[in-house]
């Protein structure tokens, strides 16, 4: 059932685009819809005002729900990072692309594999239809160059290649996965950003290491807006994958301490603020 729902979602986009072109009598750039997917790592749907949260303020996401659709049942391909992203971008069960396994559920900084070239991503499909494509944020489908977004249908990439708690310089043995679980059981919810030597990349180059995670949410928003403005005369697809509120939690000075729900609420409210800027 999960595969069916995901495939139907991608098929629906294709059919919708084709029907719009037929009705408009052409396939000019002005006839095509723009697509923006915003994917937040570990955000619970109950953390949004539109789903009933009493104190975390998410007016922009609430507006999106009010003006569009709000789903109460949804199937994804997996509950963790790598396979869920593979399913989202391909419409296939992640085990079929090798992006899910019993022994290692997610890719790590020492992983040598990634999403196969044989997989057709949503970005590749839209790019073949004349779309400008950008991946901004967390990728987590392989950090080797051949697996990065720019080799999987995206014209532009700005973000981190895997989870924001990886490349941990605090733990002596940050691998395997259980090491992370033990770390978060005894550690406070926030760590210094330098405790995680996560690289920030532009296309295939590392431009900052460790990534300053206090400012990363705002920078993702700015990158998305810049891409939209630069490509406003042609159809575009933006895949904005926030690495927060996955732990460790970081918020900018502007948002830290604002939420009644502590740092987690600060993080969610900053993401919501970015959504509002993108909508505007």
């Amino acid at each position: 059932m999960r595969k069916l729902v995901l495939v139907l979602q991608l098929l629906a986009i294709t059919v919708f685009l084709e029907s719009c072109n037929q009705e408009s009598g052409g396939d000019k750039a002005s006839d095509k819809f723009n697509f923006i997917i915003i994917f937040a790592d570990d955000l619970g749907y109950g953390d949004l005002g539109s789903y009933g949260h009493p104190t975390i303020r998410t007016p922009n996401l609430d507006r999106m729900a009010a003006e569009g659709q709000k789903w109460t049942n949804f199937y994804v391909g997996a509950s963790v990072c790598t396979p869920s992203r593979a399913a989202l971008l391909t419409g296939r069960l992640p085990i079929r692309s090798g992006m899910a396994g019993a022994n290692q559920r997610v890719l790590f900084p020492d992983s040598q594999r990634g999403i196969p070239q044989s997989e057709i991503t949503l970005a590749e499909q839209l790019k073949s239809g004349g779309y400008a494509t950008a991946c901004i944020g967390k990728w987590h489908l392989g950090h080797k160059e051949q697996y990065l977004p720019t080799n999987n249908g995206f014209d532009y990439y700005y973000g981190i290649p895997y989870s924001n708690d990886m490349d941990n310089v605090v733990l002596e043995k940050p691998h395997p996965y259980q090491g992370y679980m033990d770390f978060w059981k005894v550690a406070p919810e926030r760590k210094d950003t330098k405790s995680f030597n996560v690289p920030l990349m532009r296309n295939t180059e590392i431009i900052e290491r460790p990534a300053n995670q206090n400012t990363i949410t705002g920078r993702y928003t700015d990158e998305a807006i810049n891409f939209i403005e630069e490509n406003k005369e042609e159809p575009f697809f933006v895949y904005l994958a926030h690495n927060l509120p996955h732990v460790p939690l970081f918020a900018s000075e502007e948002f830290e301490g604002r939420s009644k729900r502590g740092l987690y609420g600060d993080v969610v409210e900053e993401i919501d603020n970015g959504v509002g800027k993108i909508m505007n």
Side-chain angles (χ1 to χ4, degrees), residues 130-149:
Y131 277 71
T133 57
C135 173
I136 298 166
K138 175 180 165 181
W139 176 239
H140 216 165
L141 290 173
H143 67 280
K144 299 290 187 180
E145 184 169 344
Q146 65 266 35
Y147 304 124
L148 289 173

Side-chain angles (χ1 to χ4, degrees), residues 4-267:
L4 177 61
V5 172
L6 285 166
V7 170
L8 284 177
Q9 288 170 355
L10 299 186
L11 283 175
I13 291 176
T14 303
V15 173
F16 185 56
L17 284 171
E18 289 178 352
S19 64
C20 289
N21 286 335
Q22 290 173 359
E23 290 175 7
S24 62
D27 60 353
K28 303 186 298 297
S30 59
D31 297 329
K32 296 180 179 179
F33 289 84
N34 299 318
F35 291 96
I36 302 175
I37 294 177
I38 302 175
F39 195 38
D41 197 346
D42 280 2
L43 177 69
Y45 81 89
D47 297 332
L48 307 179
S50 54
Y51 284 92
H53 200 286
T55 51
I56 296 181
R57 295 165 296 184
T58 55
N60 298 295
L61 289 166
D62 298 348
R63 173 189 157 198
M64 183 184 292
E67 294 178 352
Q69 296 181 351
K70 186 174 73 171
W71 297 350
T72 55
N73 292 279
F74 180 67
Y75 292 95
V76 292
S79 60
V80 292
C81 305
T82 297
S84 65
R85 290 157 202 274
L88 174 67
L89 290 175
T90 66
R92 302 204 325 137
L93 286 174
I95 196 170
R96 296 185 181 276
S97 60
M99 293 292 94
N103 297 324
Q104 191 175 23
R105 300 180 68 196
V106 300
L107 297 175
F108 283 87
D110 60 354
S111 297
Q112 299 301 309
R113 58 195 180 89
I115 186 169
Q117 288 294 308
S118 57
E119 292 296 315
I120 300 173
T121 67
L122 181 55
E124 288 173 315
Q125 188 67 19
L126 288 173
K127 187 175 175 64
S128 68
Y131 277 71
T133 57
C135 173
I136 298 166
K138 175 180 165 181
W139 176 239
H140 216 165
L141 290 173
H143 67 280
K144 299 290 187 180
E145 184 169 344
Q146 65 266 35
Y147 304 124
L148 289 173
T150 48
N151 282 312
N152 284 281
F154 290 99
D155 299 317
Y156 180 69
Y157 174 50
Y158 179 92
I160 63 175
Y162 34 72
S163 291
N164 67 323
D165 66 338
M166 294 185 174
D167 279 335
N168 193 316
V169 298
V170 177
L171 290 174
E172 292 183 4
K173 295 181 179 180
H175 195 42
Y177 189 67
Q178 186 59 41
Y180 289 102
M181 297 300 98
D182 294 339
F183 174 68
W184 293 115
K185 286 178 183 177
V186 300
E189 66 175 354
R190 176 171 182 166
K191 288 290 178 182
D192 185 87
T193 187
K194 293 181 181 179
S195 298
F196 304 91
N197 195 33
V198 179
L200 178 67
M201 306 186 71
R202 177 175 281 114
N203 296 322
T204 60
E205 301 295 325
I206 295 175
I207 60 173
E208 181 179 295
R209 190 167 197 172
N212 185 344
Q213 297 193 51
N214 294 107
T215 61
I216 204 164
T217 296
R219 287 189 283 172
Y220 286 167
T221 298
D222 292 341
E223 288 286 331
I225 291 172
N226 288 340
F227 187 84
I228 291 169
E229 291 177 342
E230 290 173 1
N231 294 278
K232 62 185 178 182
E233 301 301 328
E234 58 182 321
F236 61 78
F237 167 49
V238 175
Y239 170 51
L240 171 57
H242 284 289
N243 48 265
L244 296 168
H246 187 289
V247 292
L249 300 173
F250 296 98
S252 66
E253 291 183 1
E254 179 184 357
F255 284 88
E256 188 170 356
R258 284 181 39 163
S259 174
K260 295 180 180 179
R261 284 300 190 184
L263 184 55
Y264 184 87
D266 298 337
V267 170

